[in-house]
């Protein structure tokens, strides 16, 4: 009989070993962080897309940078890698976008977090 806050051993897209180490094994805090991410950050790709469509590259870059930090914090490694590449490209060449890869990674996380939480 596992505790109410216990999380699955595997959540697709999350390095659970690293996340648990960061949280010192506290699944209750990790559950809250993952839930906050699910509720607040899984649509950031659409916000970035909208900002870019409006020509607001600086706003898109800020959003990507924020998403990079948060996805790194929860050890969402594939989303982190995708948004890191996007963040760098927005800084180097705003017309060259890796947004579709990020969108795919966020959709994977949404599905996995919906199942896990």
């Amino acid at each position: 009989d596992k505790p109410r806050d216990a999380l699955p051993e595997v959540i697709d897209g999350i390095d659970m070993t690293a996340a648990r180490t960061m949280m010192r094994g506290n699944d209750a805090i990790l559950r809250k962080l993952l839930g906050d991410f699910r509720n607040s950050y899984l649509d950031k790709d659409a916000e970035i897309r909208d900002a870019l469509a409006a020509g607001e590259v600086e706003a898109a870059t800020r959003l990507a940078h924020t998403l990079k930090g948060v996805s790194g914090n929860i050890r969402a490694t594939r989303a982190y890698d995708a948004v890191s590449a996007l963040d760098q490209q927005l800084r180097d060449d705003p017309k060259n976008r890796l947004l579709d890869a990020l969108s795919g990674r966020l959709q994977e996380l949404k599905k996995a977090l919906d199942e896990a939480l």
Side-chain angles (χ1 to χ4, degrees):
D1 198 31
K2 63 184 182 180
R4 188 176 63 82
D5 289 324
L7 291 166
E9 288 305 308
V10 174
I11 297 178
D12 192 38
I14 306 287
D15 181 340
M16 288 300 288
T17 301
R20 281 194 165 108
T21 298
M22 177 191 62
M23 289 295 124
R24 296 184 175 94
N26 188 330
D27 269 10
I29 292 174
L30 183 55
R31 175 180 283 281
K32 180 181 181 342
L33 287 176
L34 294 174
D36 290 347
F37 184 84
R38 182 181 64 178
N39 296 334
S40 302
Y41 290 93
L42 289 174
D43 61 351
K44 291 299 177 198
D45 57 322
E47 288 184 42
I48 293 168
R49 195 177 303 278
D50 291 347
L52 290 171
E56 298 169 0
V57 176
E58 196 174 302
T61 303
R62 269 195 317 275
L63 285 164
H65 190 74
T66 299
L67 181 57
K68 182 173 95 171
V70 176
S71 60
N73 285 344
I74 64 163
R75 305 306 192 255
T77 51
R78 293 190 305 246
Y80 175 84
D81 291 346
V83 75
S84 293
L86 174 65
D87 184 40
Q88 191 59 53
Q89 278 204 335
L90 287 171
R91 293 170 195 281
D92 294 345
D93 176 8
K95 291 179 177 55
N96 189 359
R97 301 183 186 119
L98 293 172
L99 198 47
D100 291 339
L102 172 61
S103 295
R105 297 304 182 215
L106 292 177
Q107 285 306 308
E108 289 172 1
L109 274 172
K110 179 180 182 350
K111 183 175 182 287
L113 290 173
D114 285 350
E115 290 170 6
L117 304 177

